[in-house]
Amino acid sequence: MVRAGEDPISAGRAPGCTGPASFRERFLQGEPVETGVRTSILNSWRRCRTLGLSPDQADLPFREDFEPDGRIVRAAVPVLDRLQATFAGSAMNISVADASGTVLLRRFGEASLARVLPAFQIVPGFVFAEKVAGTNGIGLALAERQPIRVYGAEHFAERSQGSACRAVPVRDPLSGRIEGVLCFGYPRSAEDPALDTVIRKAAEAIERRLLGQSSSRERALLRAYLDSGAETAAGFRHRVGVRELAVEMSPRDRAILMEKAAELIACAQRACVDVPLPDGRRVTLVSRPMTSACGVEGFAIEAVVPGPSPCEPLALPHQVHKPLGLSAELAAATSLTFSGAVPDVGPGRLHVIGTEHGPVAVGVERVTVGDGTTHEHSDSPPPARGLMMVGEPHVGTYALAARRRLELLSEAGVRIGTTLDVRTTARELAESAVPQLADFVTIDLPEAVLRGEEPADPRSDLRRTVVHGIHDDCPFQPAGKQVEYGPTMPQSRCLTSGQAVLEPDLKAAAGWFVQDPDHSVQLLSHVHSLIAVPLVARGVVLGVAGFYRAQGLPPFGDDDRSLAQELAARAALSIDNARRYTRERATVLALQRSLLPHGVPDQDAVEVAHRYLPAESDVGGDWYDVIPLSGSRIGLFVGDVVGHGMLSAATMGRLRTAARSFAELDFPPDEVLTHLDKLVGRLDREDPGAVDAGIIGATCLYAIYDPTTQQCTMARAGHPPPALVRPDGTAWFPDLPAGPPLGLGGLPFEAAELDLPENSQLVLYTDGLIEDRHRDVDEVLDQLRATLAQANGTPDETCEAVLDTVAPAHPCDDIALLVARTHALDPQRIATWNLPADPALVSEVRASATRRLADWGLDGAAFAVELVLSELVTNAIRHGAGPIRVRLLHDRTLICEVSDTSNTAPHLRRAASTDEGGRGLFLVAQLTQSWGTRYTQQGKVIWAECGLEGA
């Protein structure tokens, strides 16, 4: 590290975390660190933090598909062997990585290091790119595109704190492209300034060997370029392999210049072109013809940056530490020339000239080419001009065409498959090919593929899915229409053979006019050449794509056919992925809908409407339910299982079934959520795959409305609060305790009671309605409140209004919506008696009940009600605790309720023939439709429902 305005100082860990190492600790803690850290290191730290890297991460990506015998490996092996001999017996770790940061070669000064170091330091294949490994020698050299040094605490990862390293990018001398990185790693205590020279000379030797791998014709043109003169009239010196034309030249800028240079060579003309770069700078490219001594004709493209660039020496901080113990060897190594390592190219030295921010030019001090001719140039040439590329025009033409094809495929790879929709993916294929490859594109897919199924016969039931071109007046059959191709048509032949069919001239194509001569003649007035390509993925033919070229343009060739087939193959894989997703989504959606309620139960407590809207991308686990409860009450559920897909839908079904069971046991809302919380926790523990799929919990809201008291009891588990609308239109969100999401365990739930006058609306929903990354939740809640205040219609109309005005246009999550308008049970249909625990009063209760049934016109039910009340009241007096309360409710059924203050509940059993009792509840069960017990804060309620059919 280097303090501003001071000499370099140690970057290692200091006792008590004071000194330079504290800068890294302050940075990791989020404190500002503007001085005291080299700019390249600080920028790298910032990039690492942006990428979300952790200093204590231990794993590095490993690639098994690296090329073990590529250009950089062949060029580096002899050089690394020489370095290994030079550093024999030391703790030096020498490595060569490719341009992606993947280590290809390893050498050690001490062989025993290979047995004690971790695998990522000894085995080729590990990736040290900055985006995955943090600040390190290899990754930073690639990011900064210059020689770098990382010492001690400058490393981002904790595992590298005890080491230091130097790394130098290795470039192709002809193209200037980075081919790899040479890196020296060693203990911090083994720092030696002489390593700067050693690693630089070793990198130059590898670069000369890369130059030796170029063709003899390329080297001949290079020699001609060097023979053309040491200095031009403008005073510029010739230089080979321009590495950086300006400080911090971005990869995009370099790509623009290389592309333009290839175009100039392909044009085969002397030219001077001003190339603007995206950042506003301008670079001039000069094209000069030349002929080698052996008759090779070509062009050299030189790049000129206006204004001189600084030529300061490379600023690397020096250290005073114990050297490697090889002072004599290192002194000798600084004069190594690695001569004889490059066939056809003699020894020479490429010097990096630049600043701390990056190299700006490469000067050729001495280059020997082919016949042994040696060219000497200045060691410090001005960096404002240098050779970009040499080549032959016809080779440049092919290279330019190949480059454009690769760019088209690369762009298509990014552009195609952005969604999991079959039609959208097909359109992306057409848009990628027009106008770079074709002027018009048609895509036909079977109806089965559009539904997500696998086609039985791709030649039948084809539908025109996409028509796209440079203009819209071409007479192709429109999208959506069924298309048929005769057996001799190019489309049919490509579907049969599975290979692309090229028809350079449609007028001469066999079978083109047979099926529809009039339409064919009309079409040929616009297009003249066709490539028909089958869309094949995983051995399944999914459809056919037609690429057409307009009149006045050259016909398609074999290269175009190969490109179209490659483009269609990539698109077919995306279409198949979309097809499979469509099928899976349809399956999950069918499962989801089958697990949701198919109707609303008959009851008079509330008027209910509901909606379920699946997400566009994937189906989740949202659900709702309406459950009739004892005493004319109604239970309303809405919930959301975390995650999406089949597992979420299945988990939702299990959770809804359990919730319904707990509710029918007449548990209060907070107890229901407690039981569900335990269930979700058990599901997570029993299914390890659930955590991997993201199913780690759920949210839920449960409300019970009692029409006899017009009270609503609610509890929620991490769910959005409900919305309530009073009869006068006032809408608000009650302050309901949130509670933890289901599955966390160990935390209580709390219920709240609210008074809901008749004709109030209770609106329950899932978070998909209000949460969207493009909208603020508070603003959406205000919008929901305003919509509900204006919705005075039925619950169905309220649902439609909410979905139309509040729901996002393209929901990223499922939406479940439940709207309930409350009703009240007429007080005239409720009869209540309070009595002490006196058996003598049972007859009076029976008589009062009989009179009330007569008033209600239910004389036919009097016999059953008398027996039921006698049994229930007698049990309450004998086994319960007073006072006792009796209630009759005249709703869709006749409900008898007897409550007391004890918590003991009766149980139905089969009495033996010798038993004197135990038959009362059996009679109650036979005379009523259903009966049960529910507990309250004051005790319990025994209830029984009698049908009114015979009353």
Side-chain angles (χ1 to χ4, degrees), residues 745-790:
L747 298 174
F749 298 95
E750 186 178 352
E753 288 189 358
L754 299 173
D755 292 326
L756 293 183
E758 187 173 11
N759 290 323
S760 297
Q761 284 196 108
L762 176 61
V763 182
L764 311 181
Y765 52 89
T766 56
D767 56 4
L769 177 68
I770 61 173
E771 293 184 2
D772 184 78
R773 59 179 169 280
H774 303 298
R775 303 186 300 172
D776 182 74
V777 174
D778 292 334
E779 294 179 359
V780 177
L781 290 175
D782 291 339
Q783 186 180 9
L784 175 60
R785 183 188 294 109
T787 300
L788 294 175
Q790 298 173 2

Side-chain angles (χ1 to χ4, degrees), residues 786-841:
T787 300
L788 294 175
Q790 298 173 2
N792 299 320
T794 65
D796 267 310
E797 294 172 342
T798 301
C799 285
E800 293 298 328
V802 169
L803 292 181
D804 290 342
T805 59
V806 181
H810 304 282
C812 300
D813 195 6
D814 292 16
I815 298 175
L817 178 63
L818 187 67
V819 178
R821 184 187 298 279
T822 63
H823 298 306
L825 186 62
D826 188 352
Q828 299 299 322
R829 307 184 75 171
I830 303 174
T832 305
W833 299 275
N834 295 313
L835 61 152
D838 184 358
L841 299 177

